[in-house]
Amino acid sequence: MGRKVTVAVATLNQWALDFEGNMSRIMESILEAREMGATYRTGPELEVTGYSCEDHFHESDTYLHSWEILLEIMMSPHCQNMLIDVGMPVQHRNVAYNCRVVFHNKRILLIRPKLVMCDDGNYRETRWFSSWTKVRQTEEYYLPRMIASATGQHTVPIGDAVVATRDTCLGYEICEELWNPRSTHIDMSLSGVEIIVNSSGSYMQLRKAYITTDLIRNASYKAGGAYLFSNLRGCDGQRVYFNGCSAVALNGHVIARGKQFSLEDVEVTTATVDLEDIRSYRVAMRSRCTIAASTPTYPRVNVDFALSHACDLNIPPSAPLEWIYHSAEEEISLGPACWMWDYLRRSGQGGFFLPLSGGVDSSSTAIIVHSMCRLVVKSIMLGDIQVLHDIRKILADPEFTPDNPAALCNRLLVTCYMGSENSSKETRQRANSLANQIGSYHLEINIDGAVSALLSIFNTVTGMKPLFKTQGGCPRQNLALQNIQARTRMVLSYLFAQLILWVRNRPGGLLVLGSANVDEALRGYMTKYDCSSADINPIGGISKTDLKRFLLFAKDKFNLPIVLDIVAAPPTAELEPLHEGALAQTDEEDMGMTYHELSEFGRLRKQNYCGPYSMFCKLVSMWKESCTPREVSDKVKHFFRCYAINRHKMTVLTPSYHAESYSPDDNRFDHRPFLYRANWSWQFKCIDEELERTTCPVTAPPSSGDDKSGSGGHYDIGSAKSGHSPSSARRGISGGDKSTSPLVFSEAGNTGMSSGGSAHQLNNNHTGHESLKLTKSHSSGGYSKMHSSVMGKIKDRTGVPV
């Protein structure tokens, strides 16, 4: 009796619109699955086109080429006598769907559209696709003529159905359907589906790998059965890195899994499942059986094919295994390195150029390139022909075979210390030492001549000479002198990136690497068109705190002793004159906040969706051991004002590897304005009112029946000092008399609504008995001019007056 089924889940590194390459990788995965004894193969979401085609999904060519590729795969002799499904877009009755197409022996069995779209984070699926809303229903899909003429098949069911073989039943979920609160795997399992298949396009974020694993495991635990998860890997043309981790779970245990980070274009993971284990597991769950007996059935598409073999007694089923997760430091060393490898080999460039300052950020970027080189060498030593072909193409050397990461790094990475009169000898030494230890081709240049030339042009035209603050200059002059240094470095970086391979007698150019971390992007602590203007930025989605942890990890992992000095050094841009040879400028002092505080602001702003007032309320309790409410108020106001005046920088932010869930990248992840009213007048007033309410003594409520307001002894908010305020109006004020307590506007004789506060007050007086009176701060122009204090004078390398 056949009862054991060998299934295969494919992890593919696809590329958007690379139809030929995508087809080749799909075919390779099918061949590998067959060789490993699998009778069923599934792959990732939208594997035919690549996931990140975006608005190309509006083009008819995308759908035409998808059918052409499907036909090539179906007609291949290697795809016979095997149940296969692939992911591709399909148009049905002029509606676009994200689908799985299931076929067997040159015949399409089912087109299964995605039921639930994903529109959060970096996803925007409803821009291109619609959900299939007809639950447990199918319709007839008329196949393209090219399919009909080749196969003789004219129609196929499309919709929410399952596939029944002679020995088992398979159902489908697509990516978001697993994450959705109403996941269909429960209904399918209750309807007798034993193998549930999920094709996914799930991208990597730090410390998030366990979520997918838990979902897969729990999906098979709660209702029994096998759950197959197949995911994309790599950079298919966007900022995200799809992180693999394809897996098979059975009855609550992971029995097979693929790698999270790898340079392999194709990885096939197989598992052997005993169908009787599923059946006995389910039958023993008596409450499940009671519900299953009354569960509506799914439409079933029958196929005269068995996934199991008649003689499988000696085939051992896959045993449970332990899922070991990477640490965040390992994820930083591997994820951006794999993403950069994909970007490099698909960009047609010959390597990377990095301005190396000897600080945490640029050093992290350099070490990630070194980590990439280690991965390349390891893959080649393990026999990966594709990686060897790619590195030879990049270096334009058909005979080259790397065997040493440092030697490869010397050919792929050019680092350059761009010093000035404001640079310290310590940073120069750290940059030089790190370059020697990782093996990069290192240069040292001085930018003073270029800066002086630019300033002399300004002086010739205007007759004015700007000075640093320490030399008697004003803040505008000080900022301009910092910015010209930073922007000069950007110009020189691109010059060297274009020509240094010419100098080294090699063809092509280099990709310029940026090294601004996610916290600095959030705060806007960067010069526009400096580090924000590289080709790509591998650390642009990683916090400063995590980068320091990564450097300490890399010190031991890659044997880089200089890292200790880099981590210990205070972060500084070195754009102001030294004071007796010592640093006169540090980043945290300039920013007015620590990097730890900045990370907290970022998480609350993005992950917790906090505005200024909500953030203040949360941080008062979170930071109560280290900050007073007044200090928290100042810090929150300072952050939001800096955020507002610098948000415009996100419009030119270098494409960055997405790693942090509070990334401010406005390309698709963080959709917020880039032009703000920077004083946040209403929001900051609410903070002030809350601060006043929490720090001022509160009148005790009446203890007897003397409460004339008739509120039964409850405290009347309107009697407190902070009660006569817009926020009090929002909470509602009892005990007022319309005839004796008229609404008071911020300016005497004002008959219109000059502010949101006035409008809000009227809105809360619609019952005719609330009473509002403005505090002194509100009546003295508070509605048109911010009266809240903001910590210190904001200093920023933006050129924007603050």
Side-chain angles (χ1 to χ4, degrees), residues 71 110 115 169 217 226 235 317 321 375 389 415 499 553 565 568 570 640 650 783 794:
L71 181 59
L110 172 67
L115 306 182
C169 186
R217 185 186 291 118
C235 166
L321 53 83
L375 290 173
H389 169 76
T415 53
L499 294 178
F553 163 82
D565 294 337
F640 271 100
M650 296 304 97
Y783 286 100
I794 300 174

Side-chain angles (χ1 to χ4, degrees), residues 162-170 300-305:
V162 297
V163 175
T165 65
R166 293 203 302 261
D167 52 357
T168 188
C169 186
L170 298 91
R300 292 198 174 203
V301 177
N302 296 304
V303 54
D304 187 19
F305 178 70

Side-chain angles (χ1 to χ4, degrees), residues 523 588 591-595 597-598 601 635 638-639 642:
R523 165 63 172 73
E588 290 186 333
M591 291 192 301
M593 60 192 75
T594 66
Y595 281 104
E597 291 170 344
L598 197 44
F601 293 144
K635 289 175 183 290
H638 183 60
F639 164 72
C642 294

Side-chain angles (χ1 to χ4, degrees), residues 631-649:
E631 291 171 334
V632 173
S633 168
D634 289 342
K635 289 175 183 290
V636 168
K637 292 174 187 175
H638 183 60
F639 164 72
F640 271 100
R641 192 145 187 252
C642 294
Y643 165 81
I645 66 173
N646 289 301
R647 178 66 182 174
H648 65 96
K649 296 179 182 179

